[in-house]
Every structure is written in C-alpha cells, then in structure tokens.
Amino acid sequence: VTGIAYMIPIPAALGALEGGQASLFSLIGMGSGIGVVIGIIIRMRDLLWTFIGLTYLAFRGLGIVKKVE
C-alpha cells in the first residue's frame, strides 16, 4: 500500500497512505484505527530518513565544488 500511495499523483501523497492503510486493515478485520497509526509510523520513519540524509548533505555536501576546482 505504501508504494501505491506514493505513485498516486497527490501532492505529497497526503492522506493516501493513511487511507490505504485504514482500508487494508479494515478489510483484514484489524480495525481502521490501527491502519492509520501504522500509516503515521511509516510517515515518521520516512521523515527521519529524510532528516538524516539532509543532515549528512549539510555537513558533507555533494562534493561537486571539489571536482570543479
């Protein structure tokens, strides 16, 4: 569901992931609330990886300046 949510052309896929997870968990009988929580956890994980990557780029850079000089 996560991959499909990111392929739908919705700005930042806002709500598509959570809706998909809620529907999926409702279909398998676990409750839509659990699906929404799982969707939020997935978003927090993705944001954490993005923050780690941006922090790395902020301190290490892309190395383009060294190659140009």
Side-chain angles (χ1 to χ4, degrees):
V1 174
T2 306
I4 294 170
Y6 288 138
M7 290 175 11
I8 298 171
I10 299 172
L14 190 59
L17 173 64
E18 290 79 6
Q21 292 287 355
S23 298
L24 176 68
F25 276 78
S26 179
L27 284 174
I28 62 174
M30 294 185 69
S32 60
I34 296 174
V36 171
V37 170
I38 295 294
I40 291 171
I41 290 172
I42 291 171
R43 288 233 187 250
M44 289 186 336
R45 181 203 62 193
D46 292 346
L47 286 173
L48 177 66
W49 279 115
T50 302
F51 178 73
I52 290 171
L54 289 174
T55 304
Y56 177 80
L57 286 175
F59 288 107
R60 298 285 304 220
L62 294 174
I64 296 173
V65 176
K66 292 179 184 177
K67 291 180 181 178
V68 172
E69 293 176 353

